[in-house]
Coordinates of all heavy atoms in Angstrom, one line a residue:
A1 N 19.0 -61.7 105.8 CA 17.7 -61.4 106.4 C 17.3 -62.6 107.3 O 17.6 -63.7 107.0 CB 16.6 -61.2 105.4
E2 N 16.7 -62.2 108.5 CA 16.3 -63.3 109.5 C 15.2 -64.1 109.0 O 14.2 -63.6 108.5 CB 16.0 -62.6 110.8 CG 17.1 -62.0 111.5 CD 18.1 -63.0 112.1 OE1 17.7 -64.1 112.4 OE2 19.3 -62.6 112.2
A3 N 15.4 -65.4 109.2 CA 14.3 -66.4 108.9 C 14.3 -67.3 110.1 O 15.2 -67.4 110.9 CB 14.6 -67.2 107.6
V4 N 13.1 -67.9 110.3 CA 13.0 -68.8 111.4 C 12.3 -70.1 111.0 O 11.5 -70.1 110.0 CB 12.1 -68.1 112.6 CG1 10.7 -67.8 112.1 CG2 12.1 -69.0 113.8
D5 N 12.7 -71.2 111.5 CA 12.1 -72.5 111.2 C 10.9 -72.8 112.1 O 11.1 -72.7 113.3 CB 13.2 -73.6 111.3 CG 12.6 -74.9 110.8 OD1 12.0 -75.7 111.6 OD2 12.7 -75.3 109.6
V6 N 9.8 -73.1 111.5 CA 8.6 -73.5 112.3 C 8.2 -74.9 111.7 O 7.7 -74.9 110.6 CB 7.5 -72.5 112.2 CG1 6.3 -73.0 113.0 CG2 8.0 -71.1 112.7
N7 N 8.4 -75.9 112.5 CA 8.0 -77.3 112.1 C 8.5 -77.7 110.7 O 7.7 -78.2 109.9 CB 6.5 -77.4 112.2 CG 6.1 -77.4 113.7 OD1 6.9 -77.4 114.6 ND2 4.8 -77.5 113.9
G8 N 9.7 -77.4 110.4 CA 10.3 -77.8 109.1 C 10.1 -76.8 108.0 O 10.5 -77.2 106.8
V9 N 9.5 -75.7 108.2 CA 9.3 -74.7 107.1 C 10.0 -73.4 107.6 O 9.8 -72.9 108.7 CB 7.8 -74.4 106.9 CG1 7.7 -73.3 105.8 CG2 7.1 -75.7 106.5
S10 N 10.9 -72.9 106.7 CA 11.6 -71.7 107.0 C 10.8 -70.5 106.5 O 10.3 -70.5 105.4 CB 13.0 -71.7 106.2 OG 13.7 -70.5 106.4
W11 N 10.7 -69.5 107.4 CA 9.9 -68.3 107.1 C 10.7 -67.0 107.3 O 11.3 -66.8 108.4 CB 8.7 -68.2 108.0 CG 7.7 -69.3 107.9 CD1 7.8 -70.5 108.7 CD2 6.5 -69.4 107.1 NE1 6.7 -71.3 108.3 CE2 5.9 -70.7 107.4 CE3 6.0 -68.6 106.2 CZ2 4.8 -71.1 106.7 CZ3 4.8 -69.0 105.5 CH2 4.2 -70.2 105.8
L12 N 10.7 -66.1 106.3 CA 11.2 -64.8 106.5 C 10.2 -63.9 107.2 O 9.0 -64.0 106.9 CB 11.4 -64.1 105.1 CG 11.8 -62.6 105.0 CD1 13.2 -62.4 105.5 CD2 11.6 -62.1 103.6
L13 N 10.6 -63.2 108.2 CA 9.7 -62.4 109.1 C 9.9 -60.9 108.7 O 11.0 -60.4 108.7 CB 10.0 -62.6 110.5 CG 9.6 -64.0 111.1 CD1 10.8 -64.9 110.9 CD2 9.3 -63.9 112.5
E14 N 8.7 -60.2 108.5 CA 8.8 -58.8 108.2 C 7.7 -58.1 109.0 O 6.5 -58.5 108.9 CB 8.6 -58.5 106.7 CG 9.7 -59.1 105.8 CD 9.4 -59.0 104.4 OE1 8.5 -59.8 103.8 OE2 9.9 -58.0 103.8
K15 N 8.0 -57.1 109.8 CA 7.0 -56.3 110.5 C 6.3 -55.4 109.6 O 6.9 -54.8 108.7 CB 7.7 -55.5 111.6 CG 6.8 -54.6 112.4 CD 5.7 -55.3 113.2 CE 4.9 -54.3 113.9 NZ 3.4 -54.5 113.8
Q16 N 5.0 -55.4 109.7 CA 4.2 -54.5 108.8 C 3.5 -53.5 109.7 O 3.5 -53.6 111.0 CB 3.1 -55.3 108.2 CG 3.6 -56.5 107.4 CD 4.5 -56.1 106.2 OE1 4.0 -55.6 105.2 NE2 5.8 -56.4 106.4
G17 N 2.9 -52.5 109.2 CA 2.2 -51.4 110.0 C 1.1 -52.0 110.9 O 0.9 -51.5 112.0
D18 N 0.4 -53.0 110.4 CA -0.7 -53.6 111.2 C -0.6 -55.1 111.5 O -1.6 -55.7 111.6 CB -2.0 -53.3 110.4 CG -2.0 -53.7 109.0 OD1 -0.9 -54.2 108.5 OD2 -3.0 -53.6 108.3
G19 N 0.7 -55.5 111.5 CA 0.9 -57.0 111.8 C 2.2 -57.4 111.3 O 3.2 -56.7 111.3
Y20 N 2.2 -58.7 110.9 CA 3.5 -59.3 110.4 C 3.2 -60.1 109.1 O 2.1 -60.6 108.9 CB 4.0 -60.3 111.4 CG 4.4 -59.6 112.7 CD1 3.4 -59.4 113.7 CD2 5.7 -59.1 112.9 CE1 3.8 -58.8 114.9 CE2 6.0 -58.4 114.1 CZ 5.0 -58.3 115.1 OH 5.4 -57.6 116.2
R21 N 4.3 -60.1 108.3 CA 4.2 -60.9 107.1 C 5.3 -61.9 107.2 O 6.4 -61.6 107.5 CB 4.5 -60.0 105.8 CG 4.5 -60.9 104.6 CD 4.6 -60.1 103.3 NE 5.6 -59.0 103.3 CZ 5.6 -57.9 102.6 NH1 4.6 -57.7 101.8 NH2 6.6 -57.0 102.7
F22 N 4.9 -63.2 106.9 CA 5.8 -64.3 106.9 C 5.8 -64.9 105.5 O 4.8 -65.2 105.0 CB 5.4 -65.4 107.9 CG 5.2 -64.9 109.3 CD1 4.0 -64.4 109.8 CD2 6.3 -64.9 110.2 CE1 3.8 -63.9 111.1 CE2 6.1 -64.4 111.5 CZ 4.9 -63.9 112.0
T23 N 7.0 -65.1 104.9 CA 7.1 -65.6 103.6 C 8.1 -66.8 103.6 O 9.2 -66.7 104.2 CB 7.6 -64.6 102.6 OG1 6.8 -63.4 102.7 CG2 7.5 -65.1 101.2
T24 N 7.7 -67.9 103.0 CA 8.5 -69.1 103.0 C 9.8 -68.8 102.3 O 9.9 -68.0 101.4 CB 7.9 -70.3 102.3 OG1 7.5 -69.9 101.0 CG2 6.7 -70.8 103.1
T25 N 10.9 -69.5 102.7 CA 12.2 -69.4 102.0 C 12.6 -70.8 101.7 O 12.2 -71.8 102.4 CB 13.3 -68.7 102.9 OG1 13.5 -69.5 104.0 CG2 12.8 -67.3 103.3
G26 N 13.4 -71.0 100.7 CA 13.9 -72.3 100.3 C 12.9 -73.3 99.8 O 13.1 -74.5 99.8
R27 N 11.8 -72.7 99.2 CA 10.7 -73.6 98.7 C 10.6 -73.2 97.2 O 11.0 -72.2 96.7 CB 9.4 -73.3 99.4 CG 9.4 -73.6 100.9 CD 8.8 -75.0 101.1 NE 9.3 -75.5 102.4 CZ 9.3 -76.7 102.7 NH1 8.8 -77.6 101.9 NH2 9.8 -77.2 103.9
R28 N 10.0 -74.1 96.4 CA 9.9 -73.9 95.0 C 8.8 -72.9 94.6 O 8.7 -72.5 93.4 CB 9.6 -75.3 94.3 CG 10.8 -76.2 94.4 CD 10.6 -77.4 93.6 NE 11.8 -78.3 93.8 CZ 11.8 -79.5 93.5 NH1 10.8 -80.1 92.8 NH2 12.9 -80.2 93.7

């Protein structure tokens, strides 16, 4: 699954019906 790094935090990106959900990856 695609994740992107934004200023040192990795986020999983998921398109939603009315926007986007971003969830951290690799964090406790």
Side-chain angles (χ1 to χ4, degrees):
E2 290 291 331
V4 63
D5 183 272
V6 179
N7 291 355
V9 178
S10 177
W11 299 89
L12 169 71
L13 292 88
E14 298 174 281
K15 174 65 177 129
Q16 307 297 289
D18 51 358
Y20 297 89
R21 176 172 50 206
F22 302 92
T23 309
T24 57
T25 65
R27 299 262 157 199
R28 293 186 183 168

